[in-house]
């Protein structure tokens, strides 16, 4: 696994700035040439193009495909496509795998069919499985026709699984050995390889039917007696995965057990592929990104996509927000007479709803994290609800008292301070319950617990905060 240090991260940002500067210089000089009525205009323009674009191409050639992908994601569409044309064709496939789905769509739309097929030719079957769903039927058919029988079978196997399952992520490059040979024989066998598959920290021990019997760690192989048999040296306590296992659960297992690679087996315990840590890191990152977007009710989008496409991505929950805002406004309207008679309420009621929203956000964040890590189950959810209710009541008592005292000092009304404290306690209680029940209900319905949770939370705490505070004021202050 590649570890990116702070220095490397700074170097990546510096590379991005260099590319941006080269693009800016290219545009300035090109614009200057077009503005001037010069003889030999075409010759000058060609020289300018060559000078600037060759320098830019050299810079891109020196970067890792993942770094080029980062730069492409950080550029507006016009500049992105210009840079994409300058990337060496043998790296196209790797870069397409590294960029986000939204950016990949913009790059593929700018490529001819033959260019896409040429880029895909450099990819393994497991990598093709990530790319094929984004291709047209015509390109997909031509690409499948160019694969040999084994690669086609591997690709079809990976494509048979949904993208959030282990089978869609498994790598088919692995080293298997038998248990009845000595370690010396294994070492001689490994020397026949030009290089081992990436992230090979263990060899899979199988029988003649490819049924998994154990694993032999490379570090154990190197330091053990060469005369030992594989059977005596292998480990039989193996972490394995099935093709239909959830990819997120597999990623958590890699983190929990510090795995570098692990076998994927079928229902008969036959080895059909392997998972590697680099893919699991990608899964963790993608899930984290998706969770952040889901909290705001968004789906992944290209940062520089068109205004129309980005606006449509944000419409659903904006519509929900409009509806909930009308509900909150009607709640306030219902207590218009109360607010008119006691103007202090208008200044204090945003405090109640605002702090309720903050408390609910804290609760909902912890609950979503617990669900993602598999720490919350039906057996412990009731205890968790009790705990959060207790926290809400304690915080409501402490901070409600503080706000009650402040309200009394500002407006010299003890009754107003008491109403403030009571409203705070009740709204924090509502916020805690919503923060727990919304993600739990979403999960029970088979939806992403994070999707739109913060929007629903804010709507509830605002409406209920106004209702509780103004309702108490109407009963006890009027």
């Amino acid at each position: 696994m590649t570890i990116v240090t702070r220095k490397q991260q700074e170097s990546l940002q510096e590379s991005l700035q260099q590319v941006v500067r080269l693009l800016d210089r290219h545009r300035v000089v090109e614009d200057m040439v077009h503005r001037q009525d010069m003889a030999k205009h075409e010759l000058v323009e060609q020289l300018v193009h060559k000078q600037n674009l060759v320098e830019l191409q050299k810079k891109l050639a020196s970067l890792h495909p993942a770094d080029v992908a980062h730069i492409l994601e950080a550029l507006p569409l016009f500049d992105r496509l210009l840079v994409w044309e300058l990337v060496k064709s043998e790296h196209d496939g790797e870069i397409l795998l590294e960029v986000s789905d939204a950016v990949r769509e913009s790059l593929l739309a700018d490529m001819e069919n033959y260019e896409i097929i040429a880029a895909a030719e450099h990819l393994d079957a497991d990598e093709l499985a990530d790319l094929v769903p984004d291709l047209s039927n015509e390109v997909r058919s031509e690409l499948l026709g160019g694969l040999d029988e084994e690669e086609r079978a591997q690709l079809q196997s990976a494509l048979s699984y949904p993208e959030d399952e282990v089978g869609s992520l498994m790598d088919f490059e692995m080293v298997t050995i038998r248990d009845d040979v000595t370690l010396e024989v294994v070492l001689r066998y490994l020397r026949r390889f030009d290089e081992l598959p990436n992230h090979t920290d263990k060899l899979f021990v199988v029988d003649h039917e490819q049924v998994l019997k154990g694993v032999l760690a490379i570090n154990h192989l190197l330091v053990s007696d060469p005369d030992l048999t594989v059977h005596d040296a292998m480990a039989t306590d193996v972490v394995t995965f099935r093709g239909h296992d959830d990819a997120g659960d597999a990623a958590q297992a890699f983190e929990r057990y510090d795995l570098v690679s692990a076998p994927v087996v079928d229902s008969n315990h036959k080895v059909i592929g392997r998972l590697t840590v680099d893919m699991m890191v990608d899964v963790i990152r993608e899930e984290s990104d998706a969770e952040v977007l889901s909290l705001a009710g968004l789906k992944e989008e290209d940062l520089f996509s068109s205004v129309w496409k980005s606006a449509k991505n944000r419409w659903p929950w904006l519509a929900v927000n409009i509806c909930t805002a009308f509900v909150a406004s009607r709640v306030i309207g219902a207590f218009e007479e109360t607010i008119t008679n006691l103007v202090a309420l208008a200044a204090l009621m945003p405090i109640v709803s605002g702090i309720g929203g903050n408390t609910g956000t804290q609760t909902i964040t912890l609950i979503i994290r617990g669900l993602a890590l598999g720490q919350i189950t039906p057996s412990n959810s009731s205890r968790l609800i009790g705990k959060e209710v207790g926290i809400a009541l304690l915080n409501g008592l402490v901070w409600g008292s503080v706000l009650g005292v402040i309200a009394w000092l500002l407006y010299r009304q003890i009754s107003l301070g008491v109403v403030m404290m009571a409203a705070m306690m009740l709204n924090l209680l509502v916020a805690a319950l919503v923060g727990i029940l919304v993600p739990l209900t979403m999960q029970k319905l088979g939806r992403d617990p994070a999707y739109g949770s913060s929007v629903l939370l804010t709507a509830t705490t605002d409406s209920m905060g106004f209702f509780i505070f103004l309702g108490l004021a109407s009963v006890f202050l009027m």
Side-chain angles (χ1 to χ4, degrees):
M1 180 177 66
T2 302
I3 300 176
V4 179
T5 65
R6 182 176 178 180
K7 185 176 181 180
Q8 289 172 317
Q9 182 66 21
E10 291 173 351
S11 176
L12 176 57
Q13 293 304 316
E14 184 180 341
S15 296
L16 173 58
Q17 293 303 320
Q18 289 176 6
V19 169
V20 171
R21 284 196 297 270
L22 288 169
L23 287 169
D24 288 342
R25 191 172 70 187
H26 168 71
R27 277 194 298 268
V28 169
V29 177
E30 189 179 49
D31 184 61
M32 183 176 64
V33 171
H34 279 294
R35 286 174 180 270
Q36 297 179 11
D37 184 17
M38 301 173 63
K40 303 180 180 178
H41 173 88
E42 292 184 2
L43 177 59
V44 173
E45 187 174 10
Q46 289 175 5
L47 291 174
V48 170
H49 270 282
K50 187 174 181 181
Q51 179 183 355
N52 290 285
L53 298 185
V54 167
E55 186 176 354
L56 182 55
Q57 192 169 35
K58 286 181 179 179
K59 178 61 185 177
L60 294 171
S62 68
L63 298 176
H64 189 278
D67 293 340
V68 177
H70 174 82
I71 289 172
L72 289 170
E73 291 179 342
L75 293 175
L77 183 60
F78 180 81
D79 289 342
R80 178 188 300 161
L81 296 181
L82 175 59
V83 169
W84 181 236
E85 290 179 2
L86 300 176
V87 175
K88 287 188 176 180
S89 58
E90 61 264 28
H91 297 311
D92 284 359
E94 296 175 76
I95 295 171
L96 286 171
L97 293 177
E98 293 288 346
V99 296
S100 66
D101 292 344
V103 173
R104 182 188 303 164
E105 182 181 340
S106 69
L107 298 179
L108 288 173
D110 189 58
M111 299 175 70
E112 300 291 341
N113 288 352
Y114 73 89
E115 292 177 316
I116 298 175
I117 294 170
E121 288 177 350
H122 300 282
L123 302 177
D124 296 326
D126 59 299
E127 295 173 325
L128 281 174
D130 290 335
L131 185 60
V132 164
D134 297 324
L135 304 181
S136 66
N137 291 333
E138 181 183 352
V139 175
R140 192 180 307 177
S141 300
E142 190 170 346
L143 186 60
L144 287 171
L147 300 177
D148 60 39
E149 186 176 345
E150 182 181 9
E151 289 176 326
R152 191 180 302 112
Q154 291 174 345
L155 178 57
Q156 291 173 340
S157 174
L159 291 175
S160 67
Y161 296 95
E163 63 178 10
D164 60 347
E165 291 185 354
V166 162
S168 67
L169 304 173
M170 60 185 176
D171 180 5
F172 299 101
E173 286 192 350
M174 54 191 170
V175 181
T176 59
I177 56 175
R178 302 290 164 76
D179 69 343
D180 56 354
V181 298
T182 65
L183 300 187
E184 175 61 32
V185 172
V186 174
L187 288 169
R188 289 203 305 268
Y189 171 62
L190 294 181
R191 292 190 191 103
R192 295 167 54 188
F193 288 84
D194 293 330
E195 60 178 1
L196 293 177
N198 290 334
H199 306 295
T200 299
D201 67 317
K202 60 177 70 74
L203 310 178
F204 301 153
V205 184
V206 299
D207 63 14
H208 292 281
E209 299 294 327
Q210 288 297 108
V211 174
L212 183 69
K213 304 185 72 174
V215 296
L216 177 61
I218 292 291
N219 58 359
H220 194 187
L221 170 65
L222 295 176
V223 301
S224 298
D225 184 350
D227 294 328
L228 276 177
T229 63
V230 171
H231 181 273
D232 294 330
M234 71 181 186
T236 55
D237 185 15
V238 185
V239 178
T240 62
F241 299 95
R242 298 290 181 90
H244 289 291
D245 288 346
D246 182 75
D249 293 340
Q252 291 176 24
F254 263 70
E255 181 182 14
R256 186 162 56 248
Y257 301 120
D258 294 326
L259 299 175
V260 176
S261 67
V264 181
V265 298
D266 63 12
S267 57
N268 297 318
H269 215 61
K270 292 182 179 180
V271 178
I272 58 175
R274 67 170 185 150
L275 291 181
T276 55
V277 66
D278 58 333
M279 186 59 72
M280 294 298 98
V281 169
D282 288 343
V283 169
I284 293 172
R285 178 182 57 80
E286 289 169 5
E287 288 196 342
S288 176
D289 291 346
E291 184 174 301
V292 171
L293 292 172
S294 293
L295 282 171
L298 294 175
K299 297 179 181 178
E300 183 187 28
E301 70 175 57
D302 180 358
L303 192 61
F304 297 100
S305 62
S306 67
V307 172
W308 175 251
K309 185 176 291 187
S310 295
K312 286 197 299 181
N313 187 26
R314 305 176 196 192
W315 279 352
W317 286 103
L318 283 178
V320 173
N321 270 338
I322 290 174
C323 295
T324 56
F326 270 112
V327 172
S329 70
R330 296 319 304 151
V331 169
I332 296 173
F335 294 96
E336 186 176 348
E337 183 178 348
T338 303
I339 297 172
T340 303
N341 292 330
L342 191 56
V343 179
L345 299 177
L348 294 175
M349 63 182 185
I351 299 175
V352 177
S353 62
I355 295 180
N358 180 268
T359 298
T361 299
Q362 293 174 341
T363 301
I364 210 167
T365 301
L366 288 173
I367 298 302
I368 290 173
R369 179 179 179 273
L371 289 171
L373 296 176
Q375 297 172 342
I376 299 177
T377 62
S379 61
N380 64 23
S381 57
S382 58
R383 182 176 299 179
L384 190 60
I385 292 173
K387 176 197 168 186
E388 291 299 324
V389 167
I391 293 172
L393 291 175
L394 178 59
N395 282 336
L397 179 62
V398 173
W399 297 106
S401 299
V402 171
L403 289 173
V405 170
I406 293 173
W408 170 65
L409 291 174
L410 287 174
Y411 300 101
R412 296 300 176 180
Q413 295 185 38
I414 294 179
S415 56
L416 179 60
V418 173
V419 166
M420 188 74 176
M421 181 183 71
M424 183 64 67
M425 288 183 63
L426 291 174
N427 200 34
L428 291 189
L429 180 60
V430 169
L433 290 173
V434 173
I436 296 174
L437 296 177
V438 167
L440 288 179
T441 303
M442 294 285 277
Q443 187 190 50
K444 194 170 184 179
L445 295 174
R447 303 292 300 276
D448 180 359
Y451 188 55
S453 292
S454 64
V455 178
L456 295 175
L457 171 70
T458 302
T460 304
T461 53
D462 282 353
S463 299
M464 290 303 297
F466 296 147
F467 178 77
I468 292 169
F469 182 55
L470 296 176
L472 290 174
S474 296
V475 173
F476 294 105
L477 301 180
M478 298 301 293

